[in-house]
Amino acid sequence: SGTMNSTKPLVEVIDSDCDADDENKKNRDNTSSSSASGEVMKDLLSINETRPTYGLFQRFSNVFRDYAREGLVHEMLECPNPDELFACGEEGDDQHSEQLNRREMRLEMENEKFDSDRYLNDLCVEEEGDMIFDAAMMMVPHWISATVVASQNSEESVENITNRLDKLSTSETQSAFFTSEESHLLATLPSKNNNPVQLSVVEKRAALLTLTDILFAYAYDHRTTDGDPTVESSWTVMILSPSLAWLENYNPPYDTLVDVVRWSIRRSIIYPYLRSCTLAKNVVEDVSVIFKGGRRTI
C-alpha cells in the first residue's frame, strides 16, 4: 500500500548542549579536586619538613605524641613536649627562634633544679662517710681488671678520654672484636641485609658523643647500686643522660667531648641521690676505661 512504515531510531539525541555542559562540569570538578588534593599534600609535606626530629641522627618524629596525650611521656623523659621542641641548630629552629629549643630549655631547667644546700650536704657526706658513697667509690666494676686497678692513673683527664675517643673505630676491620668461634657463628646466621649503613665522619662522631653520655649514666648507676640494678636504675640512667632525658642532638665539631662530659657531670650533681664531683670523676674514669677496651667492652 501507499502507507510508509516508520522505524524508531536506535539512538535518540536529547540535548547535545546539556551533555557538553555536564562534561565540562565534571572536568572542572576533577580539576578543582586535584588542585585541592595537591594543596593538602603540599601542606602535609610542609608540616613534615618543619616538625621537630630526634633520635639517632635525628631520623624520628611524632614518636611521643600519643604518649603525651596519655601523660606517659613524663615517665620516660624530662623533656615535656619533644614533638613540639626543636633541637639546637635543627632545621626549622630558626623559624621558631622566639621559642627555646630543647638544649636551651634543658640548661634552664638544670639551673632551676640545682640545689646548692643539698650539694654542700653531700660534700659533708664525703668527709664524714656514707655507706652507699663509700661502696660506690671502692667498687671495682666488671670492665676494670685487677691489673688495671693497680696501675690506673687517678688523674685521668678529659683530654685523654678525647684522644681515646678519636682512636675508637667503628669499622669492621678490628679482628679482636669477635673470637674465631663467634665469627664462625655469625657467618652462619642468615642475613636479610648485606649492605651495612655507611656513616659519615660527622655521624660517627655524633654517635660516639651520644654513647659517651649514656655510658656515663650507666657507669654511675652501676657504681651506686653495686652492680645490682634497682627499680630506680632506669630513671637514673635516663635522667643523667641528656641524650635520653632531652633527646639531645650533638653537632660535631661544634659540640665536643668536653661539652658532653661537662653536661653529664652537671646533671650528676643535680638529680641523683649521691651528688658528688668526686664520684662523678670516678665515673668519668670508668667511661675512659670502657672506651679503651674497645667495642667488645662497650
Side-chain angles (χ1 to χ4, degrees), residues 148 156 164 168 286-295 297-298:
V148 173
E156 189 71 43
R164 277 194 291 276
L168 184 62
D286 288 335
V287 175
S288 73
V289 174
I290 294 173
F291 273 121
K292 186 176 181 180
R295 293 193 295 174
T297 306
I298 295 172

Side-chain angles (χ1 to χ4, degrees), residues 203-234:
E203 288 177 330
K204 291 179 182 179
R205 183 81 178 184
L208 291 173
L209 292 177
T210 300
L211 180 61
T212 299
D213 78 39
I214 295 176
L215 285 176
F216 179 94
Y218 166 75
Y220 178 97
D221 180 75
H222 190 80
R223 275 191 174 274
T224 55
T225 61
D226 199 25
D228 186 13
T230 68
V231 294
E232 295 184 355
S233 292
S234 59

Side-chain angles (χ1 to χ4, degrees), residues 88-89 103 106 165 202 205-206 209 248-260 262-263:
C88 179
R103 179 175 298 179
R106 171 176 66 81
L165 181 60
V202 174
R205 183 81 178 184
L209 292 177
E248 182 62 63
N249 174 38
Y250 297 121
N251 296 301
Y254 307 105
D255 296 328
T256 65
L257 183 63
V258 175
D259 296 325
V260 175
R262 183 177 70 249
W263 288 330

Side-chain angles (χ1 to χ4, degrees), residues 118-133:
R118 170 65 186 276
Y119 177 70
L120 292 175
N121 288 336
D122 280 6
L123 288 179
C124 296
V125 167
E126 293 183 22
E127 298 176 357
E128 299 173 0
D130 177 86
M131 182 176 64
I132 299 179
F133 175 80

Side-chain angles (χ1 to χ4, degrees), residues 125-160:
V125 167
E126 293 183 22
E127 298 176 357
E128 299 173 0
D130 177 86
M131 182 176 64
I132 299 179
F133 175 80
D134 293 340
M137 294 296 295
M138 294 186 296
M139 180 192 182
V140 180
H142 60 81
W143 54 80
I144 301 180
S145 64
T147 55
V148 173
V149 173
S151 60
Q152 188 176 19
N153 180 11
S154 61
E155 299 298 327
E156 189 71 43
S157 65
V158 172
E159 288 76 13
N160 289 338

Side-chain angles (χ1 to χ4, degrees), residues 29-47 49:
D29 291 342
N30 291 335
T31 302
S32 61
S33 177
S34 300
S35 177
S37 299
E39 292 178 357
V40 171
M41 184 61 66
K42 184 178 180 181
D43 292 341
L44 290 175
L45 291 175
S46 176
I47 294 175
E49 291 175 355

